[in-house]
């Protein structure tokens, strides 16, 4: 028994090492006091972080990212909430519901490159210029399945009897939603918005094809990693990863709090 | 019942509910009298909750009639029925305080609906009503708390206050005590009954617990497989079960299967594994029909103590359990027929006893395999 679990533990560690070692390497080099990204390490420094924070070009990219990520997060959460309400609250035939769910989640399965190229072709056929609006709308399509699932996961946990109790006490459908369903799903909406924000800010493929001249941070990082690699890039990567993890953790904490509240 | 008021509050005729090919309620008739405490009693899946949900407006009625004060409820949506529900596990709004929970329905009072006067309530009147409802259930101290900070019994009280504050014509209670522990349950039974009397409201309570039904009800409706098996006063159902199924379900009785040998003026002679007995019988039995003899445990005694004219049965003791005021004794009679008796003294295990009972206090009813429902 003990042996088996020791074996299992080493195996698990090995897998985690495989998953996270590359990221760890980036973390290490972001603190390495050398222009050259190679071993042996030369000592500890924070200068790469300083250069990231003081870089105007990166700052502009970050601003562009926010200009896309905020509306994308809000729009995809709003639409995801509507879809989740339809999935969990509408009385539909099972088959119809299944078709609805599959159509909603299909963007998961279509390679983003294909989605991106398809949208690009459509936009140029329609003569629509690519800008922050087109990239935002394009991102919403791929983020929508996530926000739908996050909000739906909160909705299915809300005891249906709470809504029935509101009806029983005389509330109309709209009052039930406003006074019971919405307050109880609010944390799910916040969690979905955090996740949508992270997904939007780290989206590269769609952004590349749809953003036009604007250069959000993700594109700057992608192109710098190919053409202008420097330890500062490692520092930037660490900042982005940390920020994303923090956002998702906060979102998840909020969602869990809502579970305890309703359970 | 001669003193029955002429008009029922609620009236169900041939009420039927089907889900596709599954018939949850298969045509039932009943009346709810004003100011009565009625329980719908039956095992899970018997259709009792479906009945409650049809009355509350949460399920549509497949066919039949449902009338409140002579007015059909079928076209009235749930929010506009002057009926409120205490849900199983209470369904208190977790994001609202006790006070806000209780006041929830008052915002919709007075809307055009059954019993609505077209005017709403002002804030002060609402507050007053909430305070009164909370003090009725002795929860005024908890007004500012959230439901999750209350015990099960306290949540139960808030759920009651939230329903009664709207002064419904009928209060529906869906297994309201099932989430409480045994002791709490008994206390709440007394409180529920007391509350119903004080408010003079009609309570319709769904339960699968026979003791609960007997403790609370003026009238019990026993349901099985979507149909009413029997309805009447608790004593009537206890003493004169309409079928072996009812006798068995309400429990506490020895149900001995047999066959009707003869009928005479409200009495039947029944042949069973423990002998032939002539006892009062349910109406509508036929000679040679399958029937059952019901003998309650406390009616069985040791032969020495028996009155003249008593019937006797010989049985071997299998178990004896001390039950405070006496011994609950399980025995096995001829043909392997199990019997329960309540005896004053402990028998020896394996001992064969001669037990006696007064046939005039026994009851012959329809057998398990008889009747149109089998």
């Amino acid at each position: 028994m003990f042996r088996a679990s020791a074996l299992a533990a080493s195996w698990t560690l090995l897998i985690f090492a495989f998953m996270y070692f590359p990221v760890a390497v980036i973390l290490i080099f972001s603190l390495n006091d050398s222009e050259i990204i190679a071993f042996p390490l030369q000592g500890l420094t924070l200068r790469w972080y300083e250069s990231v924070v003081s870089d105007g070009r990166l700052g502009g990219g970050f601003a562009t990212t926010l200009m896309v990520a905020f509306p994308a997060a809000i729009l995809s959460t709003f639409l995801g909430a509507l879809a989740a309400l339809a999935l969990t609250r509408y009385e539909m035939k099972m088959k119809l519901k299944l078709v609805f769910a599959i159509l909603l989640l299909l963007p998961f399965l279509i390679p983003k490159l294909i989605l991106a190229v398809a949208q690009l072709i459509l936009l140029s056929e329609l003569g629509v210029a690519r800008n922050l609006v087109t990239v935002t709308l394009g991102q919403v399509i791929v983020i929508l399945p996530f926000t739908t699932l996050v909000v739906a996961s909160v909705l299915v946990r809300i005891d249906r009897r709470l809504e029935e109790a509101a009806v029983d006490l005389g509330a109309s459908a709209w009052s039930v939603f406003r006074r019971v369903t919405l307050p109880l799903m609010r944390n799910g909406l916040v969690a979905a918005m955090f996740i949508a924000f992270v997904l939007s800010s780290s989206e590269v493929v769609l952004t590349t094809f749809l953003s036009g001249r604007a250069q959000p941070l993700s594109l700057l990082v992608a192109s710098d990693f190919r053409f202008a690699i420097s330890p500062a890039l490692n520092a930037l990567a660490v900042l982005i990863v940390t920020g994303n993890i923090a956002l998702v953790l906060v979102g998840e904490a909020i969602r869990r709090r809502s579970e305890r509240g309703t359970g | 019942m001669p003193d029955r008021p002429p008009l029922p509050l609620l009236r169900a005729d041939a009420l039927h509910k089907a889900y596709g090919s599954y018939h949850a309620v298969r045509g039932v008739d009943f009346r709810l009298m004003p100011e009565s405490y009625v329980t719908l009693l039956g095992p899970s899946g018997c259709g009792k909750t479906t009945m409650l949900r049809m009355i509350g407006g949460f399920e549509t009625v497949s066919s039949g009639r449902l009338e409140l004060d002579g007015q059909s409820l079928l076209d009235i949506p749930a929010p506009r029925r002057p009926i409120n529900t205490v849900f199983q596990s209470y369904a208190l709004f977790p994001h609202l305080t006790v006070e806000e929970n209780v006041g929830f329905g008052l915002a919709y009072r007075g809307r055009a609906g059954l019993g609505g006067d077209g005017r709403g309530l002002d804030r002060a009147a609402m507050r007053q009503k909430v305070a009164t409802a909370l003090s009725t259930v002795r929860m005024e101290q908890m007004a500012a708390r959230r439901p999750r900070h209350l015990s099960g019994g306290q949540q139960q009280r808030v759920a009651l206050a939230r329903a009664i504050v709207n002064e419904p014509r009928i209060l529906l209670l869906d297994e309201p005590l099932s989430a409480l522990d045994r002791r709490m349950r008994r206390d709440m039974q007394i409180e529920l009954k007391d509350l119903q009397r004080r408010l003079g409201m009609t309570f319709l309570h769904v339960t699968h617990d026979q003791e609960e039904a007997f403790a609370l009800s003026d009238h019990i409706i026993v349901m099985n497989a979507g149909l009413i098996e029997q309805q009447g006063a608790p004593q009537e159902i206890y003493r004169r079960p309409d079928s072996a199924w009812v006798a068995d379900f309400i429990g506490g009785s020895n149900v001995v299967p047999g066959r009707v040998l003869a009928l005479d003026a409200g009495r039947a002679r029944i042949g069973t594994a423990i002998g032939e007995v002539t006892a009062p019988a349910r109406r509508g039995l036929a000679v040679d029909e399958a029937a059952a003899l019901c003998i309650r445990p406390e009616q069985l005694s040791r032969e020495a103590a028996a009155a003249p004219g008593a019937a006797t049965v010989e049985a071997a003791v299998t178990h004896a359990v001390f039950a405070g005021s006496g011994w609950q004794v399980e025995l096995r009679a001829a043909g392997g027929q199990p019997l329960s008796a309540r005896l004053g003294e402990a028998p020896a295990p394996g001992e064969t006893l001669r037990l006696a009972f007064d046939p005039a206090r026994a009851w012959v009813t329809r057998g398990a395999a008889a009747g149109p429902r089998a």
Side-chain angles (χ1 to χ4, degrees), chain B residues 140-155:
Chain B
E140 57 272 58
Q141 306 294 324
M142 306 288 179
R145 300 225 187 154
R146 292 283 165 110
R148 65 170 166 276
H149 298 127
L150 302 178
S151 70
Q154 290 170 333
Q155 291 187 26

Side-chain angles (χ1 to χ4, degrees), chain B residues 11 26 42 50 60 77 79 84 106 113 122 131 165 172 174 210 312 323 350:
Chain B
R11 195 186 153 127
R26 301 191 282 158
T50 306
T60 56
N84 288 115
L106 291 178
D122 64 48
V165 74
L172 306 176
D174 186 8
Q210 304 82 354
T312 59

Side-chain angles (χ1 to χ4, degrees), chain A residues 159 162 260-263, chain B residues 85-94 96-98 101-102 134 137-139 142 145-163 173 176-177 179-180 184 188 191-192:
Chain A
D159 187 349
L162 294 174
R260 237 179 305 134
T262 54
Chain B
T85 308
V86 174
F87 289 83
Q88 197 173 6
S89 73
Y90 324 132
L92 296 177
F93 305 120
L96 301 179
T97 64
V98 165
N101 263 281
V102 175
L134 282 176
V137 297
R138 293 184 284 107
M139 285 293 291
M142 306 288 179
R145 300 225 187 154
R146 292 283 165 110
R148 65 170 166 276
H149 298 127
L150 302 178
S151 70
Q154 290 170 333
Q155 291 187 26
Q156 168 76 82
R157 289 207 180 89
V158 176
L160 270 168
R162 183 176 69 176
L173 302 107
L177 307 179
L180 301 176
M184 224 21 233
M188 277 311 294
E191 279 194 46
L192 276 178

Side-chain angles (χ1 to χ4, degrees), chain B residues 46-371:
Chain B
C46 72
K48 59 189 193 299
T49 299
T50 306
M51 293 258 293
L52 201 73
R53 292 177 63 81
M54 283 194 279
I55 297 168
F58 299 111
E59 298 284 354
T60 56
V61 171
S62 301
S63 69
R65 296 201 308 178
L66 189 62
E67 290 176 355
L68 183 78
D69 283 331
Q71 199 176 344
S72 176
L73 280 177
L74 298 185
D75 297 325
I76 298 173
R80 289 177 50 208
R81 293 187 186 189
I83 295 172
N84 288 115
T85 308
V86 174
F87 289 83
Q88 197 173 6
S89 73
Y90 324 132
L92 296 177
F93 305 120
H95 58 299
L96 301 179
T97 64
V98 165
E99 204 168 19
E100 290 166 336
N101 263 281
V102 175
F104 192 96
L106 291 178
Y108 310 107
R109 278 291 301 281
R111 295 253 177 101
L114 271 188
D117 58 5
R119 283 169 302 174
L121 286 168
D122 64 48
R123 205 163 279 272
M126 277 193 206
R127 189 157 292 187
Q128 185 53 46
K129 276 184 183 292
V130 170
T132 309
L134 282 176
S135 75
T136 305
V137 297
R138 293 184 284 107
M139 285 293 291
E140 57 272 58
Q141 306 294 324
M142 306 288 179
R145 300 225 187 154
R146 292 283 165 110
R148 65 170 166 276
H149 298 127
L150 302 178
S151 70
Q154 290 170 333
Q155 291 187 26
Q156 168 76 82
R157 289 207 180 89
V158 176
L160 270 168
R162 183 176 69 176
I164 63 172
V165 74
N166 304 296
E167 295 161 34
R169 302 298 310 279
I170 303 171
L171 182 69
L172 306 176
L173 302 107
D174 186 8
E175 305 252 2
L177 307 179
S178 59
L180 301 176
D181 63 46
R182 205 180 161 73
R183 212 193 124 93
M184 224 21 233
R185 200 147 60 209
R186 189 161 302 171
D187 291 348
M188 277 311 294
Q189 281 177 8
I190 294 168
E191 279 194 46
L192 276 178
K193 182 72 193 173
D194 184 52
L195 190 66
Q196 184 263 332
R197 282 211 194 100
R198 268 190 293 152
L199 297 172
M201 212 177 259
T202 301
F203 280 28
L204 181 60
H205 178 133
V206 157
T207 183
H208 61 267
D209 184 329
Q210 304 82 354
E211 279 181 43
E212 195 170 297
F214 284 127
L216 290 166
S217 313
D218 304 316
H219 189 82
I220 297 179
I221 301 171
V222 185
M223 284 191 73
N224 178 33
L227 287 166
I228 293 178
E229 280 277 340
Q230 184 175 8
Q231 52 179 320
Q235 301 86 327
E236 195 181 318
I237 287 171
Y238 185 70
R239 295 202 189 120
R240 291 186 285 278
D242 217 17
S243 65
W245 187 89
V246 172
D248 198 47
F249 180 70
I250 61 172
S253 206
N254 293 297
V255 183
V256 185
R259 193 161 286 279
V260 177
L261 301 175
L263 289 165
D264 170 40
R267 285 165 184 275
R269 182 152 192 83
I270 181 172
T272 71
I274 62 169
E276 293 183 8
V277 178
T278 303
R282 161 190 201 277
R283 261 183 278 186
L285 291 177
V287 172
D288 210 33
E289 189 185 13
L293 175 68
C294 307
I295 314 160
R296 290 198 303 280
E298 66 271 20
Q299 292 172 342
L300 286 166
S301 60
R302 287 176 195 258
E303 201 199 359
T312 59
V313 52
E314 216 163 73
V317 175
T318 54
H319 279 94
V321 179
F322 180 59
S325 58
W327 289 78
Q328 180 68 32
V329 183
E330 304 300 326
L331 311 101
R332 206 161 279 276
Q337 173 64 41
L339 290 175
S340 301
R342 190 96 177 173
L343 301 179
E345 288 160 51
E351 186 184 351
T352 298
L353 299 178
R354 274 186 80 80
L355 298 172
F357 64 93
D358 179 1
R361 293 174 63 207
W363 177 250
V364 177
T365 191
R366 215 165 35 163

